[in-house]
Amino acid sequence: MPFTATVISAKDWGAVPPKAWPEETRPQYVIIHHTATPNPPNDLSSGTSAGAKEFSQSLQSAHMNGFGWYDSGHNFLNTTGGFLLEARQGSLDAIKRGRCVRSAHAGTDKGNESPGIENEGTFNTYQMRSQQWNSLVELCASICSSCNIDPNNIKGHRDFIETQCPGDWLYGQLPRLRNDVRKRLGTPVPADDSLREGATGAKVTQLQQLLKANGFNPGPIDGAFGSGTVQAVISFQKYKGLAADGVVGSVTWKALTSSTPSPSPTPTPTVNLLDTYKYYRGLPHQDQAITWLNGKVSKDALDEFSRRWRNSPSQPFLPLQVGAVGPEVKQLQQRLQQQGFNPGSLDGSFTVATKAAVIAYQQSKGIMADGIDNVKVIVLTYWKISAKIMIS
Ligand SMILES: [Zn+2]
Protein backbone atom coordinates (compact mmCIF):
# COMPACT_ATOMS: atom_id res chain seq x y z
CA MET A 1 0.00 0.00 0.00
CA PRO A 2 1.43 3.42 -0.87
CA PHE A 3 1.60 6.28 1.62
CA THR A 4 -2.02 7.43 1.39
CA ALA A 5 -2.43 9.66 4.44
CA THR A 6 -2.86 13.35 3.74
CA VAL A 7 -0.29 15.10 5.89
CA ILE A 8 0.21 18.86 6.11
CA SER A 9 3.96 19.40 5.87
CA ALA A 10 5.76 21.45 8.50
CA LYS A 11 6.54 24.02 5.83
CA ASP A 12 2.83 24.36 5.09
CA TRP A 13 1.84 25.11 8.66
CA GLY A 14 4.65 27.62 9.07
CA ALA A 15 7.15 25.75 11.21
CA VAL A 16 10.25 27.70 12.15
CA PRO A 17 13.43 25.98 10.95
CA PRO A 18 14.96 23.47 13.37
CA LYS A 19 18.02 24.46 15.39
CA ALA A 20 19.71 21.41 13.89
CA TRP A 21 18.70 18.75 11.41
CA PRO A 22 18.24 15.32 12.96
CA GLU A 23 19.94 12.12 11.84
CA GLU A 24 17.95 9.50 9.99
CA THR A 25 16.94 6.33 11.74
CA ARG A 26 15.47 2.96 10.86
CA PRO A 27 12.05 2.90 12.55
CA GLN A 28 10.75 -0.24 14.25
CA TYR A 29 7.63 1.04 15.98
CA VAL A 30 4.81 3.51 15.68
CA ILE A 31 4.37 5.19 19.05
CA ILE A 32 1.02 6.60 20.11
CA HIS A 33 0.73 9.64 22.40
CA HIS A 34 -1.93 12.01 23.58
CA THR A 35 -1.27 15.72 23.98
CA ALA A 36 -3.09 15.80 27.36
CA THR A 37 -4.85 18.97 26.21
CA PRO A 38 -8.61 19.61 26.46
CA ASN A 39 -11.10 17.46 24.61
CA PRO A 40 -13.94 18.88 22.51
CA PRO A 41 -15.65 21.26 22.80
CA ASN A 42 -12.60 22.94 24.36
CA ASP A 43 -10.03 21.38 22.03
CA LEU A 44 -7.23 23.78 21.16
CA SER A 45 -7.44 23.19 17.41
CA SER A 46 -11.24 23.65 17.40
CA GLY A 47 -11.38 20.80 14.90
CA THR A 48 -10.43 23.13 12.02
CA SER A 49 -7.52 23.16 9.59
CA ALA A 50 -6.46 26.66 10.68
CA GLY A 51 -6.73 25.61 14.31
CA ALA A 52 -4.63 22.51 13.61
CA LYS A 53 -1.84 24.64 12.13
CA GLU A 54 -1.89 27.05 15.07
CA PHE A 55 -1.82 24.15 17.50
CA SER A 56 1.21 22.69 15.71
CA GLN A 57 2.98 26.05 15.94
CA SER A 58 2.29 26.34 19.66
CA LEU A 59 3.59 22.81 20.29
CA GLN A 60 6.76 23.55 18.33
CA SER A 61 7.27 26.73 20.28
CA ALA A 62 6.76 24.93 23.60
CA HIS A 63 9.21 22.20 22.65
CA MET A 64 11.90 24.53 21.33
CA ASN A 65 11.57 27.45 23.71
CA GLY A 66 10.24 25.60 26.73
CA PHE A 67 12.17 22.32 26.56
CA GLY A 68 15.14 23.58 24.57
CA TRP A 69 14.71 20.93 21.87
CA TYR A 70 15.92 21.36 18.31
CA ASP A 71 12.42 21.10 16.88
CA SER A 72 9.01 19.63 17.70
CA GLY A 73 9.53 16.53 19.85
CA HIS A 74 7.04 14.35 18.01
CA ASN A 75 6.98 13.37 14.35
CA PHE A 76 3.28 13.81 13.62
CA LEU A 77 0.21 15.46 15.09
CA ASN A 78 -3.34 14.19 14.64
CA THR A 79 -5.91 16.79 15.67
CA THR A 80 -9.51 16.40 16.78
CA GLY A 81 -10.69 17.35 13.31
CA GLY A 82 -8.69 14.50 11.80
CA PHE A 83 -5.99 16.80 10.39
CA LEU A 84 -2.57 15.19 10.16
CA LEU A 85 0.49 17.42 10.39
CA GLU A 86 4.18 16.74 10.10
CA ALA A 87 5.93 17.93 13.26
CA ARG A 88 9.68 17.25 13.44
CA GLN A 89 10.94 18.46 10.09
CA GLY A 90 12.19 15.82 7.72
CA SER A 91 9.84 13.17 9.13
CA LEU A 92 7.40 13.02 6.23
CA ASP A 93 10.07 12.75 3.55
CA ALA A 94 12.02 10.14 5.53
CA ILE A 95 8.97 7.99 6.28
CA LYS A 96 7.99 7.93 2.62
CA ARG A 97 11.45 6.46 1.95
CA GLY A 98 11.04 3.86 4.69
CA ARG A 99 13.16 5.79 7.18
CA CYS A 100 12.51 8.19 10.06
CA VAL A 101 14.35 11.02 11.81
CA ARG A 102 15.52 10.98 15.41
CA SER A 103 12.95 12.76 17.56
CA ALA A 104 12.36 13.50 21.23
CA HIS A 105 8.88 12.23 22.00
CA ALA A 106 9.47 8.91 23.75
CA GLY A 107 11.97 9.66 26.49
CA THR A 108 14.24 6.81 25.38
CA ASP A 109 16.72 6.48 22.50
CA LYS A 110 14.98 3.33 21.33
CA GLY A 111 11.62 5.10 21.14
CA ASN A 112 13.00 8.26 19.60
CA GLU A 113 14.25 6.33 16.58
CA SER A 114 10.65 5.57 15.64
CA PRO A 115 7.85 7.94 14.69
CA GLY A 116 5.72 9.33 17.48
CA ILE A 117 2.17 10.45 16.78
CA GLU A 118 0.63 13.01 19.12
CA ASN A 119 -3.15 12.74 19.23
CA GLU A 120 -4.85 15.90 20.37
CA GLY A 121 -6.83 15.32 23.55
CA THR A 122 -6.75 13.52 26.89
CA PHE A 123 -7.83 9.92 26.52
CA ASN A 124 -7.89 8.63 30.08
CA THR A 125 -11.63 7.98 29.83
CA TYR A 126 -12.62 10.21 26.94
CA GLN A 127 -13.13 8.25 23.73
CA MET A 128 -11.65 9.53 20.49
CA ARG A 129 -14.25 10.55 17.88
CA SER A 130 -14.36 8.64 14.60
CA GLN A 131 -12.90 11.42 12.43
CA GLN A 132 -9.71 11.55 14.50
CA TRP A 133 -9.64 7.77 14.82
CA ASN A 134 -9.88 7.27 11.06
CA SER A 135 -7.02 9.66 10.37
CA LEU A 136 -4.93 7.88 12.98
CA VAL A 137 -5.62 4.54 11.28
CA GLU A 138 -4.73 6.03 7.90
CA LEU A 139 -1.44 7.49 9.16
CA CYS A 140 -0.45 4.31 11.02
CA ALA A 141 -1.24 2.17 7.97
CA SER A 142 0.79 4.51 5.75
CA ILE A 143 3.79 4.41 8.10
CA CYS A 144 3.59 0.61 8.60
CA SER A 145 3.42 0.17 4.84
CA SER A 146 6.22 2.57 3.93
CA CYS A 147 8.57 1.41 6.66
CA ASN A 148 7.59 -2.25 6.68
CA ILE A 149 6.54 -2.17 10.31
CA ASP A 150 4.33 -4.97 11.63
CA PRO A 151 1.12 -3.52 13.11
CA ASN A 152 1.97 -5.47 16.27
CA ASN A 153 4.64 -2.83 16.77
CA ILE A 154 2.12 -0.02 17.14
CA LYS A 155 2.82 0.80 20.77
CA GLY A 156 1.78 3.25 23.43
CA HIS A 157 4.17 5.77 24.94
CA ARG A 158 3.83 3.94 28.25
CA ASP A 159 5.42 0.87 26.67
CA PHE A 160 8.68 2.83 26.63
CA ILE A 161 8.73 4.83 29.85
CA GLU A 162 6.66 5.26 32.99
CA THR A 163 3.87 7.61 31.89
CA GLN A 164 0.08 7.91 31.75
CA CYS A 165 0.39 8.67 28.04
CA PRO A 166 -1.54 7.94 25.84
CA GLY A 167 -4.28 7.60 28.51
CA ASP A 168 -5.93 4.39 29.69
CA TRP A 169 -8.71 4.49 27.12
CA LEU A 170 -6.51 5.06 24.09
CA TYR A 171 -3.95 2.56 25.33
CA GLY A 172 -6.74 0.03 25.70
CA GLN A 173 -7.72 0.68 22.08
CA LEU A 174 -4.33 -0.25 20.65
CA PRO A 175 -5.44 -3.81 19.80
CA ARG A 176 -8.34 -2.34 17.83
CA LEU A 177 -6.01 0.16 16.18
CA ARG A 178 -3.66 -2.65 15.15
CA ASN A 179 -6.58 -4.60 13.71
CA ASP A 180 -7.96 -1.57 11.87
CA VAL A 181 -4.49 -0.95 10.42
CA ARG A 182 -4.25 -4.60 9.34
CA LYS A 183 -7.62 -4.29 7.62
CA ARG A 184 -6.49 -1.09 5.91
CA LEU A 185 -3.31 -2.85 4.76
CA GLY A 186 -5.29 -5.86 3.64
CA THR A 187 -3.32 -8.22 5.88
CA PRO A 188 -5.18 -10.92 7.77
CA VAL A 189 -6.44 -10.05 11.20
CA PRO A 190 -5.28 -12.81 13.53
CA ALA A 191 -7.88 -14.78 15.38
CA ASP A 192 -8.04 -13.30 18.82
CA ASP A 193 -10.10 -14.68 21.65
CA SER A 194 -9.16 -11.79 23.92
CA LEU A 195 -12.00 -10.19 25.82
CA ARG A 196 -12.27 -6.46 25.41
CA GLU A 197 -14.68 -3.56 25.81
CA GLY A 198 -17.95 -4.26 24.06
CA ALA A 199 -17.80 -8.03 24.56
CA THR A 200 -20.81 -9.72 26.14
CA GLY A 201 -21.72 -13.15 27.39
CA ALA A 202 -20.96 -15.83 29.92
CA LYS A 203 -17.19 -15.44 29.64
CA VAL A 204 -17.54 -11.74 30.52
CA THR A 205 -19.67 -12.69 33.53
CA GLN A 206 -16.95 -15.08 34.61
CA LEU A 207 -14.35 -12.34 34.11
CA GLN A 208 -16.35 -9.94 36.28
CA GLN A 209 -16.65 -12.57 39.00
CA LEU A 210 -12.91 -13.22 38.89
CA LEU A 211 -12.16 -9.51 39.11
CA LYS A 212 -14.43 -9.19 42.12
CA ALA A 213 -12.91 -12.26 43.79
CA ASN A 214 -9.49 -10.65 43.32
CA GLY A 215 -10.67 -7.48 45.01
CA PHE A 216 -11.26 -5.33 41.91
CA ASN A 217 -14.73 -3.89 41.36
CA PRO A 218 -16.02 -4.25 37.79
CA GLY A 219 -19.42 -2.75 38.62
CA PRO A 220 -22.50 -4.89 38.05
CA ILE A 221 -21.86 -8.57 37.22
CA ASP A 222 -23.95 -8.38 34.06
CA GLY A 223 -21.89 -10.09 31.37
CA ALA A 224 -21.35 -6.80 29.57
CA PHE A 225 -17.74 -5.58 29.20
CA GLY A 226 -18.27 -1.88 29.81
CA SER A 227 -16.08 0.93 31.10
CA GLY A 228 -16.31 -0.28 34.72
CA THR A 229 -14.95 -3.66 33.71
CA VAL A 230 -12.21 -1.98 31.64
CA GLN A 231 -11.12 0.08 34.65
CA ALA A 232 -11.13 -3.00 36.91
CA VAL A 233 -9.06 -4.95 34.38
CA ILE A 234 -6.56 -2.09 34.06
CA SER A 235 -6.26 -1.83 37.86
CA PHE A 236 -5.74 -5.59 38.11
CA GLN A 237 -3.11 -5.53 35.35
CA LYS A 238 -1.25 -2.67 37.02
CA TYR A 239 -1.40 -4.52 40.35
CA LYS A 240 0.08 -7.61 38.69
CA GLY A 241 2.69 -5.67 36.71
CA LEU A 242 1.14 -6.67 33.38
CA ALA A 243 0.68 -4.44 30.33
CA ALA A 244 -2.28 -2.36 31.50
CA ASP A 245 -4.33 -2.26 28.31
CA GLY A 246 -7.75 -3.24 29.69
CA VAL A 247 -7.88 -6.21 27.32
CA VAL A 248 -8.07 -9.70 28.77
CA GLY A 249 -5.78 -11.96 26.77
CA SER A 250 -4.32 -15.25 27.87
CA VAL A 251 -1.75 -13.69 30.21
CA THR A 252 -4.29 -11.60 32.10
CA TRP A 253 -6.77 -14.45 32.19
CA LYS A 254 -4.15 -16.77 33.65
CA ALA A 255 -3.21 -14.18 36.27
CA LEU A 256 -6.88 -13.79 37.20
CA THR A 257 -7.55 -17.49 37.58
CA SER A 258 -4.33 -18.38 39.37
CA SER A 259 -4.48 -15.44 41.74
CA THR A 260 -5.35 -16.22 45.29
CA PRO A 261 -7.56 -13.46 46.56
CA SER A 262 -5.76 -11.14 48.92
CA PRO A 263 -6.74 -12.00 52.50
CA SER A 264 -9.18 -9.61 54.02
CA PRO A 265 -7.57 -7.48 56.71
CA THR A 266 -7.60 -8.87 60.24
CA PRO A 267 -10.77 -7.58 61.87
CA THR A 268 -10.26 -5.16 64.71
CA PRO A 269 -10.69 -7.11 67.93
CA THR A 270 -13.76 -6.13 69.88
CA VAL A 271 -12.21 -7.39 73.11
CA ASN A 272 -9.21 -5.66 74.60
CA LEU A 273 -7.60 -8.24 76.85
CA LEU A 274 -5.60 -5.63 78.70
CA ASP A 275 -8.68 -3.70 79.72
CA THR A 276 -10.49 -6.89 80.59
CA TYR A 277 -7.62 -7.86 82.83
CA LYS A 278 -7.35 -4.47 84.49
CA TYR A 279 -10.99 -3.97 85.24
CA TYR A 280 -12.25 -7.44 86.13
CA ARG A 281 -9.23 -8.90 87.83
CA GLY A 282 -9.65 -11.43 90.60
CA LEU A 283 -13.28 -12.59 90.26
CA PRO A 284 -13.68 -16.39 90.76
CA HIS A 285 -15.19 -17.33 87.38
CA GLN A 286 -12.27 -15.64 85.63
CA ASP A 287 -9.95 -18.57 86.28
CA GLN A 288 -12.25 -20.65 84.10
CA ALA A 289 -12.24 -17.99 81.39
CA ILE A 290 -8.45 -17.72 81.46
CA THR A 291 -8.12 -21.52 81.37
CA TRP A 292 -10.41 -21.61 78.34
CA LEU A 293 -8.40 -18.89 76.62
CA ASN A 294 -5.19 -20.74 77.49
CA GLY A 295 -6.38 -23.69 75.43
CA LYS A 296 -6.97 -21.46 72.40
CA VAL A 297 -3.49 -19.94 72.29
CA SER A 298 -0.52 -21.64 70.64
CA LYS A 299 2.32 -22.93 72.78
CA ASP A 300 4.75 -20.50 71.13
CA ALA A 301 2.51 -17.56 71.88
CA LEU A 302 2.09 -18.66 75.50
CA ASP A 303 5.82 -19.16 75.97
CA GLU A 304 6.49 -15.69 74.58
CA PHE A 305 3.72 -14.23 76.73
CA SER A 306 5.22 -15.87 79.80
CA ARG A 307 8.64 -14.49 78.94
CA ARG A 308 7.32 -10.98 78.49
CA TRP A 309 5.22 -11.19 81.63
CA ARG A 310 8.25 -12.05 83.71
CA ASN A 311 10.80 -9.78 82.11
CA SER A 312 10.14 -6.18 81.31
CA PRO A 313 13.44 -4.34 81.48
CA SER A 314 12.02 -0.87 81.01
CA GLN A 315 9.28 -1.06 83.62
CA PRO A 316 9.56 -3.90 86.10
CA PHE A 317 6.21 -5.34 87.03
CA LEU A 318 7.22 -6.06 90.60
CA PRO A 319 5.07 -6.27 93.65
CA LEU A 320 5.62 -3.41 96.02
CA GLN A 321 6.34 -4.71 99.47
CA VAL A 322 8.33 -3.84 102.56
CA GLY A 323 11.86 -2.92 101.56
CA ALA A 324 10.92 -1.61 98.11
CA VAL A 325 12.12 1.91 97.31
CA GLY A 326 11.61 4.29 94.43
CA PRO A 327 9.27 6.74 92.78
CA GLU A 328 6.52 4.16 92.43
CA VAL A 329 6.52 3.68 96.21
CA LYS A 330 6.34 7.41 96.67
CA GLN A 331 3.43 7.62 94.25
CA LEU A 332 1.69 4.80 96.15
CA GLN A 333 2.19 6.64 99.43
CA GLN A 334 0.75 9.82 97.97
CA ARG A 335 -2.29 7.96 96.66
CA LEU A 336 -2.83 6.25 100.00
CA GLN A 337 -2.69 9.54 101.80
CA GLN A 338 -5.11 11.15 99.34
CA GLN A 339 -7.47 8.24 100.03
CA GLY A 340 -7.28 8.94 103.75
CA PHE A 341 -4.81 6.27 104.80
CA ASN A 342 -1.53 7.00 106.56
CA PRO A 343 1.46 5.38 104.87
CA GLY A 344 4.02 7.14 107.05
CA SER A 345 6.38 9.66 105.52
CA LEU A 346 6.05 10.17 101.77
CA ASP A 347 9.67 9.25 101.16
CA GLY A 348 9.46 6.50 98.55
CA SER A 349 10.45 3.86 101.05
CA PHE A 350 7.99 0.98 101.63
CA THR A 351 7.94 0.77 105.41
CA VAL A 352 5.84 -1.20 107.88
CA ALA A 353 3.60 1.88 108.14
CA THR A 354 3.13 1.84 104.38
CA LYS A 355 2.24 -1.84 104.50
CA ALA A 356 -0.36 -1.16 107.23
CA ALA A 357 -1.90 1.59 105.12
CA VAL A 358 -2.05 -0.74 102.08
CA ILE A 359 -3.78 -3.46 104.13
CA ALA A 360 -6.29 -0.94 105.44
CA TYR A 361 -6.90 0.31 101.91
CA GLN A 362 -7.28 -3.20 100.52
CA GLN A 363 -9.74 -4.13 103.23
CA SER A 364 -11.77 -1.03 102.55
CA LYS A 365 -11.99 -1.95 98.86
CA GLY A 366 -12.60 -5.66 99.37
CA ILE A 367 -9.26 -6.54 97.78
CA MET A 368 -7.37 -9.50 99.20
CA ALA A 369 -5.47 -7.95 102.11
CA ASP A 370 -1.84 -8.93 101.87
CA GLY A 371 -0.17 -5.59 102.21
CA ILE A 372 1.46 -6.24 98.88
CA ASP A 373 0.22 -4.53 95.82
CA ASN A 374 1.17 -3.23 92.58
CA VAL A 375 1.16 0.47 92.29
CA LYS A 376 -0.70 0.27 89.01
CA VAL A 377 -3.67 -1.38 90.67
CA ILE A 378 -3.79 1.22 93.37
CA VAL A 379 -3.47 4.07 90.92
CA LEU A 380 -6.04 2.52 88.63
CA THR A 381 -8.49 2.03 91.46
CA TYR A 382 -7.89 5.59 92.54
CA TRP A 383 -8.64 6.95 89.12
CA LYS A 384 -11.73 4.80 88.75
CA ILE A 385 -13.06 6.18 91.98
CA SER A 386 -12.19 9.73 90.94
CA ALA A 387 -13.92 9.25 87.64
CA LYS A 388 -17.04 7.96 89.34
CA ILE A 389 -17.13 10.98 91.62
CA MET A 390 -16.69 13.29 88.66
CA ILE A 391 -19.44 11.58 86.72
CA SER A 392 -21.93 11.41 89.59
ZN1 LIG B 1 3.49 10.59 25.19
Side-chain angles (χ1 to χ4, degrees):
M1 182 186 119
F3 192 99
T4 51
T6 303
V7 179
I8 301 168
S9 72
K11 188 165 158 279
D12 286 346
W13 57 256
V16 301
K19 289 180 197 162
W21 286 92
E23 60 166 324
E24 274 197 13
T25 59
R26 196 181 69 76
Q28 298 181 60
Y29 305 98
V30 180
I31 301 166
I32 306 301
H33 301 263
H34 69 170
T35 56
T37 53
N39 294 315
N42 301 312
D43 47 327
L44 298 179
S45 76
S46 310
T48 65
S49 169
K53 291 175 182 176
E54 276 175 33
F55 187 36
S56 232
Q57 287 163 2
S58 72
L59 286 173
Q60 188 193 26
S61 171
H63 290 178
M64 292 178 77
N65 304 321
F67 300 162
W69 294 346
Y70 288 163
D71 194 356
S72 297
H74 50 297
N75 299 86
F76 297 98
L77 172 66
N78 176 30
T79 65
T80 53
F83 294 99
L84 295 168
L85 303 97
E86 180 189 27
R88 179 151 297 213
Q89 291 159 82
S91 296
L92 188 56
D93 170 63
I95 290 284
K96 286 179 174 175
R97 289 184 286 105
R99 307 279 285 177
C100 192
V101 292
R102 183 173 294 284
S103 46
H105 57 88
T108 67
D109 282 345
K110 188 179 155 199
N112 289 337
E113 291 171 0
S114 291
I117 303 172
E118 284 285 358
N119 291 278
E120 182 186 9
T122 303
F123 300 101
N124 295 328
T125 55
Y126 180 83
Q127 305 187 3
M128 187 184 284
R129 301 289 192 261
S130 61
Q131 207 169 17
Q132 191 178 14
W133 178 263
N134 293 340
S135 57
L136 177 61
V137 171
E138 195 64 23
L139 179 58
C140 288
S142 294
I143 295 172
C144 285
S145 173
S146 295
C147 301
N148 198 24
I149 295 171
D150 189 301
N152 276 331
N153 281 346
I154 299 173
K155 302 284 187 185
H157 188 187
R158 66 173 68 168
D159 293 324
F160 292 83
I161 57 161
E162 180 77 28
T163 173
Q164 284 289 305
C165 184
D168 286 348
W169 180 84
L170 184 51
Y171 189 74
Q173 297 300 307
L174 293 184
R176 176 164 74 100
L177 179 61
R178 292 176 194 126
N179 278 345
D180 284 2
V181 168
R182 286 186 192 104
K183 281 179 209 157
R184 184 71 188 82
L185 293 170
T187 57
V189 174
D192 177 11
D193 58 359
S194 297
L195 286 177
R196 67 189 74 236
E197 189 168 12
T200 53
K203 188 127 194 236
V204 176
T205 306
Q206 194 189 350
L207 166 66
Q208 292 170 329
Q209 286 163 341
L210 282 166
L211 285 166
K212 202 166 179 187
N214 279 278
F216 296 87
N217 178 18
I221 311 285
D222 55 4
F225 200 134
S227 57
T229 306
V230 173
Q231 287 310 313
V233 169
I234 288 171
S235 300
F236 174 78
Q237 289 169 326
K238 282 181 181 165
Y239 173 71
K240 286 287 177 186
L242 306 173
D245 59 5
V247 176
V248 182
S250 56
V251 174
T252 301
W253 189 264
K254 198 173 167 197
L256 274 166
T257 48
S258 62
S259 241
T260 41
S262 52
S264 51
T266 312
T268 309
T270 51
V271 175
N272 183 321
L273 280 177
L274 192 59
D275 285 348
T276 305
Y277 165 76
K278 278 180 181 170
Y279 285 92
Y280 301 102
R281 182 171 181 253
L283 297 174
H285 65 271
Q286 290 171 356
D287 284 355
Q288 286 173 9
I290 292 284
T291 304
W292 174 85
L293 183 62
N294 208 93
K296 301 288 176 191
V297 181
S298 75
K299 180 182 179 301
D300 284 353
L302 284 171
D303 287 349
E304 179 61 17
F305 170 78
S306 173
R307 193 187 66 75
R308 290 180 186 222
W309 186 262
R310 277 179 277 117
N311 310 318
S312 179
S314 58
Q315 201 175 15
F317 193 82
L318 293 173
L320 295 178
Q321 52 190 313
V322 173
V325 290
E328 290 190 330
V329 175
K330 190 172 179 181
Q331 198 182 4
L332 169 66
Q333 290 168 331
Q334 286 167 342
R335 296 292 189 225
L336 286 165
Q337 192 180 60
Q338 285 162 0
Q339 297 276 314
F341 302 90
N342 180 11
S345 53
L346 308 183
D347 57 2
S349 204
F350 201 118
T351 60
V352 174
T354 309
K355 179 179 177 176
V358 169
I359 291 172
Y361 171 83
Q362 288 170 327
Q363 283 170 340
S364 77
K365 299 295 172 198
I367 304 170
M368 184 177 62
D370 56 6
I372 301 172
D373 215 326
N374 179 281
V375 69
K376 287 178 184 169
V377 176
I378 289 276
V379 171
L380 186 70
T381 309
Y382 171 77
W383 283 113
K384 279 171 78 175
I385 292 165
S386 303
K388 271 185 188 164
I389 293 166
M390 284 168 70
I391 290 162
S392 62

